[in-house]
Amino acid sequence: MRPTARLAARVIVVDDDGCVLLFRGFDPGRHDAGEWWITPGGGVEDGESIEEAARRELYEETGLAVDDVGDALFERRVVFEFEDNYFDQTEHFFCVRTERFPVTDRGWSDIEQRSVLGHRWWSVAELAATSEQVYPEGLVERLREILAAARD
């Protein structure tokens, strides 16, 4: 099966203590694929800019509304299977600095309700020490760069 091309916007949400918000998820169609931790985000809708998608996805998945997500910090390309669909996804990652806030699932889609198991704020040390699967790969290094830039 040929993968479907997909453009996505993801947001690295960092609180005042330098912790990052991640969601724990799994593929309801493949329980044997395990679980992973990911940043908030999702597909860009028709007629929507990547920045608009990042703001929308952030609000829908966390309840946090922001006016600006800035410029994309980096992008990655990933091919994956999810619920019997194959995707060739290009993801653009943004960063939002904020006070820690209560995450809400009021805006979650049906698929998010089925595939998200929870969320937590991770420190750099916790991410560096975990054996759990975290996406994007190299998030610890990216987070260190974000925190170093904030100090400069």
Side-chain angles (χ1 to χ4, degrees):
M1 176 183 280
R2 189 173 179 169
T4 301
R6 185 173 191 238
L7 183 61
R10 307 205 68 82
V11 183
I12 299 170
V13 181
V14 181
D15 75 4
D16 293 336
D17 294 323
C19 295
V20 63
L21 176 64
L22 298 176
F23 287 94
R24 189 168 129 232
F26 75 106
D27 182 343
R30 297 182 310 129
H31 290 276
D32 60 331
E35 298 175 359
W36 50 80
W37 292 91
I38 58 173
T39 61
V44 177
E45 296 178 354
D46 288 340
E48 187 175 50
S49 72
I50 297 169
E51 294 82 6
E52 289 167 338
R55 288 193 309 272
R56 176 185 50 76
E57 287 286 343
L58 180 61
Y59 180 69
E60 289 174 358
E61 294 184 4
T62 70
L64 179 64
V66 297
D67 293 329
D68 187 15
V69 292
D71 295 327
L73 301 178
F74 65 97
E75 69 177 65
R76 84 171 184 147
R77 184 173 172 200
V78 60
V79 177
F80 64 96
E81 178 182 356
F82 190 81
E83 286 203 323
D84 297 323
N85 294 298
Y86 291 91
F87 298 97
D88 181 350
Q89 182 163 282
T90 300
E91 300 175 330
H92 294 261
F93 284 82
F94 298 86
C95 181
V96 169
R97 300 293 308 261
T98 184
E99 293 180 359
R100 193 170 290 200
F101 61 95
V103 174
T104 178
D105 61 4
R106 285 189 307 252
W108 285 10
S109 67
D110 179 59
I111 187 60
E112 289 157 351
Q113 291 175 17
R114 290 194 319 270
S115 65
V116 177
L117 299 169
H119 71 276
R120 71 171 272 205
W121 295 88
W122 291 75
S123 70
V124 172
E126 290 169 329
L127 280 175
T130 190
S131 60
E132 296 187 59
Q133 185 62 59
V134 176
Y135 295 111
E137 298 86 351
L139 182 59
V140 170
E141 291 76 20
R142 298 286 184 175
L143 189 55
R144 286 181 176 141
E145 291 170 5
I146 290 166
L147 296 173
R151 286 191 295 269
D152 294 343

